[in-house]
């Protein structure tokens, strides 16, 4: 099978991670893939914030839990690496650009047998005081929204494949 398609078909969202940290050269490949994603008008005005500090990941999860009334189990699935994809608030393509970067990240990770999952909850609460305070402490610019996060690590479980809906492709000839 074409190896790009095979990578796409075998990627699954992973929601259980080993605590062992991924290797720096693996992280660098993942970030290279992310930063080579397309961006509208090639602006590349995103920021990739990589957190590999367990307690900082836990503090961020706690702030989100408190803002959204989530229970203690909300912890991004406790990944050893969390990548925050942020972009300028007034960039109308900020979310689309970050989504392209995230998919590149997921596919590169999959090709290295590293698990990944999109974590979505931060985007709506970036400008709440407690959230902005922690984002600022992570060097995320005040004018940025975190559109998505990638939980990354060696998988601790093998997610099952899911079916693909029929009828989502229309041909007009
Ligand atoms: C925009 C977006 C937001 C998502 N947010 C979350 C999330 O917050 N938590 C989570 O566990 N998975 C999240 N996912 C993962 C989806 O649930 C997952 O991609 C979907 O169930 C299909 O499964 P697959 O990724 O294994 O193909 C998100 C995916 C997308 C594209």
């Amino acid at each position: 099978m074409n190896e790009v398609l095979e990578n796409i078909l075998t990627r699954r969202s992973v929601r259980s991670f080993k605590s062992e940290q991924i290797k720096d050269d693996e992280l660098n490949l993942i970030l290279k893939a992310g930063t080579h994603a397309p961006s509208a008008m090639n602006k590349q005005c995103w920021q990739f914030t990589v957190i590999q500090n367990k307690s900082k990941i836990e503090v961020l999860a706690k702030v989100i839990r408190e803002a959204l009334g989530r229970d203690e189990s909300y912890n991004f699935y406790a990944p050893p690496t969390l990548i925050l994809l942020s972009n300028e608030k007034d960039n109308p393509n900020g979310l689309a650009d970050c989504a392209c970067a995230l998919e590149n990240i997921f596919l590169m990770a999959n090709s290295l047998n590293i698990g990944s999952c999109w974590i979505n909850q931060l985007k709506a609460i970036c400008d709440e005081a407690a959230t902005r305070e922690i984002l600022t402490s992570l060097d995320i610019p005040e004018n940025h929204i975190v559109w998505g996060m990638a939980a990354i690590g060696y998988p601790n479980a093998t997610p099952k494949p899911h079916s693909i809906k029929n009828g989502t492709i229309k041909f007009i000839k």
Side-chain angles (χ1 to χ4, degrees):
M1 190 192 294
N2 172 286
E3 61 188 34
V4 174
L5 184 60
E6 185 175 16
N7 186 18
I8 290 169
L9 297 186
T10 56
R11 183 211 55 80
R12 292 273 75 75
S13 292
V14 168
R15 297 184 173 88
S16 177
F17 298 100
K18 295 183 177 156
S19 55
E20 180 189 351
Q21 188 54 270
I22 63 168
K23 296 176 184 65
D24 284 350
D25 59 347
E26 293 171 327
L27 175 63
N28 289 337
L29 288 173
I30 288 168
L31 292 169
K32 186 169 186 176
T35 54
H36 280 71
S39 68
M41 293 181 285
N42 195 25
K43 277 192 175 173
Q44 301 179 41
C45 54
W46 45 35
Q47 178 170 309
F48 297 68
T49 304
V50 183
I51 314 180
Q52 293 192 303
N53 176 304
K54 191 170 187 275
S55 64
K56 287 191 194 291
I57 291 174
E58 284 170 359
V59 169
L60 180 61
K62 183 167 183 279
V63 167
I64 297 174
R65 274 202 305 273
E66 286 171 358
L68 296 176
R70 294 291 194 101
D71 65 31
E72 290 287 320
S73 67
Y74 180 83
N75 62 357
F76 321 130
Y77 313 111
T81 295
L82 186 70
I83 305 175
L84 281 59
L85 255 294
S86 66
N87 211 322
E88 294 170 351
K89 271 180 221 186
D90 59 3
N91 176 358
N93 297 304
L95 170 57
D97 290 356
C98 287
C100 287
L102 281 163
E103 179 66 348
N104 274 18
I105 284 172
F106 299 148
L107 291 174
M108 189 67 227
N110 185 52
S111 76
L112 299 168
N113 296 315
I114 291 171
S116 64
C117 188
W118 183 310
I119 306 292
N120 205 33
Q121 287 67 42
L122 201 39
K123 63 183 178 187
I125 54 169
C126 287
D127 282 328
E128 290 191 13
T131 316
R132 184 54 71 186
E133 192 179 325
I134 188 168
L135 297 183
T136 301
S137 78
L138 296 169
D139 274 341
I140 295 175
E142 292 290 316
N143 69 335
H144 271 214
I145 299 286
V146 179
W147 286 112
M149 299 181 275
I152 306 270
Y154 297 124
N156 208 16
T158 310
K160 292 195 179 79
H162 56 72
S163 59
I164 299 301
K165 278 187 186 172
N166 289 322
T168 59
I169 303 175
K170 300 286 178 202
F171 293 100
I172 314 293
K173 292 193 177 179

